[in-house]
Amino acid sequence: MTTRLFSIDEEAVDLAAAKLHLRVDHADEDALITQLIAAAVDMASQHTGRSIAKCTWDLVLDAFPIAGLRLLWPPVLAVAEVKYVDVAGADQVLAPAKYVVDPHSEPGRLVVAVGETWPATAAVPNAVTVRYTAGYGADCPEPIRQWILLQVGHWYRNRESINVGNIVNAMPYVDGLLDRYRVWGV
């Protein structure tokens, strides 16, 4: 099972919000700030196990599992398509009536509908692909958004990996902003 990022559809923090936080009123470093936002969002996603930006994901499997499929990187918003390679080697799209999306579980789940069974697939690698949308985007919870802005501010002011000649104290409460949003047991 592999979950691959297909596209980022909506960021959680935009350039204007980051520049306001940084108190930057020029466009000279817009590219850098945009890169810092992307890195901070990615780091927040890794810390929490959530899709912070609204993203489209591809879950790729060799076959349909009996118990259903786990859709990582919650919150799951929608399943766009379930494709598979049938036993004859032909590409097929599974009708939405054949499965049920459980967006409330974390991670989300895709299970076979009542009275249905998963179709048989060809014995080939990556026979099943589920394309789904997950994440917060502009609806990102404020504590996560603040964590991202604090991280961007830190990286903007400290552009090297080592701080030489300065006394630096970590702010222990910062990572606590992400604690209640962590997906455990993934």
Side-chain angles (χ1 to χ4, degrees):
M1 175 177 94
T2 304
T3 303
R4 296 184 190 124
L5 179 63
F6 179 75
S7 66
I8 297 174
D9 306 321
E10 183 180 271
E11 288 292 351
V13 174
D14 64 13
L15 179 62
K19 288 175 71 170
L20 181 65
H21 175 78
L22 296 172
R23 298 186 178 125
V24 171
D25 58 4
H26 54 80
D28 298 348
E29 297 184 298
D30 284 3
L32 170 66
I33 296 167
T34 300
Q35 291 170 345
L36 295 176
I37 294 167
V41 167
D42 186 60
M43 189 178 216
S45 292
Q46 294 302 319
H47 281 328
T48 62
R50 293 181 178 278
S51 185
I52 304 303
K54 190 179 290 182
C55 298
T56 300
W57 297 91
D58 283 341
L59 170 63
V60 182
L61 307 115
D62 292 340
F64 287 103
I66 295 169
L69 301 90
R70 291 176 8 147
L71 304 175
L72 301 178
W73 305 105
V76 172
L77 303 173
V79 170
E81 181 177 66
V82 178
K83 295 189 315 188
Y84 66 99
V85 180
D86 68 16
V87 291
D91 291 336
Q92 302 290 337
V93 176
L94 189 62
K98 301 273 187 188
Y99 58 85
V100 176
V101 179
D102 173 10
H104 302 292
S105 294
E106 290 190 344
R109 297 181 306 152
L110 185 74
V111 296
V112 67
V114 174
E116 300 288 341
T117 58
W118 292 120
T121 60
V124 297
N126 307 319
V128 177
T129 301
V130 178
R131 180 160 289 169
Y132 66 99
T133 305
Y136 296 114
D139 295 327
C140 181
E142 195 59 31
I144 297 174
R145 209 171 162 288
Q146 286 303 312
W147 186 92
I148 292 166
L149 291 171
L150 288 168
Q151 197 65 44
V152 168
H154 172 72
W155 288 338
Y156 182 78
R157 287 172 184 78
N158 301 286
R159 298 187 186 195
E160 303 299 327
S161 62
I162 298 174
N163 191 333
V164 178
N166 295 309
I167 297 173
V168 178
N169 292 318
M171 296 185 291
Y173 66 87
V174 174
D175 284 343
L177 291 169
L178 299 179
D179 283 348
R180 68 178 267 214
Y181 298 98
R182 292 181 202 267
V183 177
W184 299 99
V186 175

